[in-house]
């Protein structure tokens, strides 16, 4: 579960740092997210999604894995690969959507609100991936095994609705209401991330099985 938490937190933190850095490097006229938005994302996801991973049950094949070497670092090549490609995908998706919305002449507040919600929803979809290191996330045995993960998702969704539509938070965080169309784009990108990670896990499962057969 410690590995799962690391595998969840680091890619999302990677994206949170990379989005403003990439915007500056690309000389974008406006930042896709303000510092207060990144602070908000860190605060709400840390106390909801990340904590729920502590209650995950062991994976079915955990006792079939070879013993872990005491000299093996926590950040193995597998973890580094997952952290890099998920973080880069989230960064590219947020920057792309932000530029698309700015091209459609949405207000800067609405574009930033959509981008922030995309990052949060991307983390939400990725939580479903991260609950199992290599097993299929939607397997019924795992999908409902940890009710705290679904509770954390529900709480996070309510927080994001308040972030987007509550007038006091709009004034405090410089957000603006967005339409169902923007929500549709957010959910689409989140679903794409989920599918890509599940495909990657499929190849890792085959690799693990092949190694077990050889041994």
């Amino acid at each position: 579960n410690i590995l799962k938490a690391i595998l969840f937190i680091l890619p999302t933190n990677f994206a949170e740092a990379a989005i403003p850095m990439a915007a500056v490097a690309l000389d974008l006229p406006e930042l896709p997210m303000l510092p207060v938005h990144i602070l908000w994302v860190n605060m709400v996801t840390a106390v909801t999604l990340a904590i729920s991973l502590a209650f995950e049950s062991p994976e079915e094949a955990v006792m079939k894995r070879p013993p872990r070497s005491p000299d093996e670092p926590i950040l193995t090549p597998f973890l580094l690969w997952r952290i890099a490609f998920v973080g880069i995908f989230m960064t590219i998706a947020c920057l792309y959507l932000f530029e698309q919305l700015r091209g459609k002449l949405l207000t800067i507040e609405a574009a930033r609100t959509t981008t922030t919600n995309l990052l949060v929803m991307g983390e939400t979809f990725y939580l479903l991936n991260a609950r199992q290191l290599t097993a299929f996330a939607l397997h019924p045995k795992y999908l409902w095994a940890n009710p705290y993960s679904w509770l954390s998702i529900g709480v996070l969704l309510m927080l994001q609705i308040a972030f987007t539509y509550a007038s006091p938070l709009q004034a405090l965080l410089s957000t603006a209401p967005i339409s169902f169309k923007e929500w549709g784009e957010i959910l689409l990108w989140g679903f794409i991330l989920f599918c890509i990670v599940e495909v990657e896990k499929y190849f890792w499962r085959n690799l693990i099985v092949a190694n077990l057969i050889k041994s």
Side-chain angles (χ1 to χ4, degrees):
N1 286 354
I2 292 175
L3 289 178
K4 291 177 182 179
I6 292 172
L7 203 58
F8 173 77
I9 293 171
L10 291 188
T12 55
N13 286 353
F14 178 103
E16 290 167 13
I19 289 170
M21 291 173 62
V24 172
L26 295 172
D27 198 25
L28 298 183
E30 301 281 357
L31 287 175
M33 297 171 62
L34 296 176
V36 69
H37 298 152
I38 297 174
L39 178 62
W40 168 269
V41 173
N42 262 322
M43 180 177 67
V44 299
T45 58
V47 299
T48 55
L49 303 182
I51 289 178
S52 70
L53 288 171
F55 301 95
E56 287 295 332
S57 57
E59 297 190 33
E60 185 176 357
V62 68
M63 295 305 294
K64 297 180 181 178
R65 298 175 187 168
R68 179 181 177 274
S69 170
D71 299 326
E72 181 181 291
I74 293 179
L75 293 179
T76 62
F78 163 69
L79 293 180
L80 290 172
W81 156 255
R82 178 77 63 81
I83 290 166
F85 104 81
V86 172
I88 291 171
F89 179 90
M90 286 186 178
T91 301
I92 293 173
C94 288
L95 291 173
Y96 177 81
L97 182 59
F98 177 76
E99 284 300 290
Q100 289 290 309
L101 296 175
R102 293 295 291 144
K104 295 175 183 177
L105 300 180
L106 256 69
T107 64
I108 187 62
E109 291 80 12
R112 284 172 173 160
T113 302
T114 305
T115 304
T116 305
N117 276 306
L118 171 57
L119 182 57
V120 172
M121 289 299 105
E123 294 188 27
T124 304
F125 276 94
Y126 180 58
L127 174 71
L128 300 178
N129 299 122
R131 289 179 59 193
Q132 301 296 323
L133 293 177
T134 57
F136 180 48
L138 299 183
H139 192 291
K141 182 174 183 177
Y142 304 120
L143 187 60
W144 310 110
N146 180 9
Y148 295 103
S149 64
W150 295 104
L151 176 62
S152 69
I153 290 172
V155 171
L156 181 62
L157 291 177
M158 289 189 289
L159 289 171
Q160 287 309 116
I161 290 173
F163 170 84
T164 307
Y165 299 105
S167 298
L169 289 180
Q170 288 177 352
L172 182 64
L173 303 174
S174 298
T175 60
I178 59 178
S179 69
F180 285 112
K181 184 177 180 181
E182 279 76 57
W183 280 114
E185 294 184 77
I186 290 169
L187 294 175
L188 175 61
W189 278 105
F191 181 70
I192 291 172
L193 172 62
F194 173 83
C195 291
I196 290 175
V197 176
E198 286 304 307
V199 170
E200 181 250 7
K201 287 164 67 175
Y202 170 79
F203 287 106
W204 277 107
R205 285 199 302 274
N206 287 348
L207 180 62
I208 291 172
V209 170
N211 288 337
L212 287 174
I213 293 173
K214 290 179 181 178
S215 62

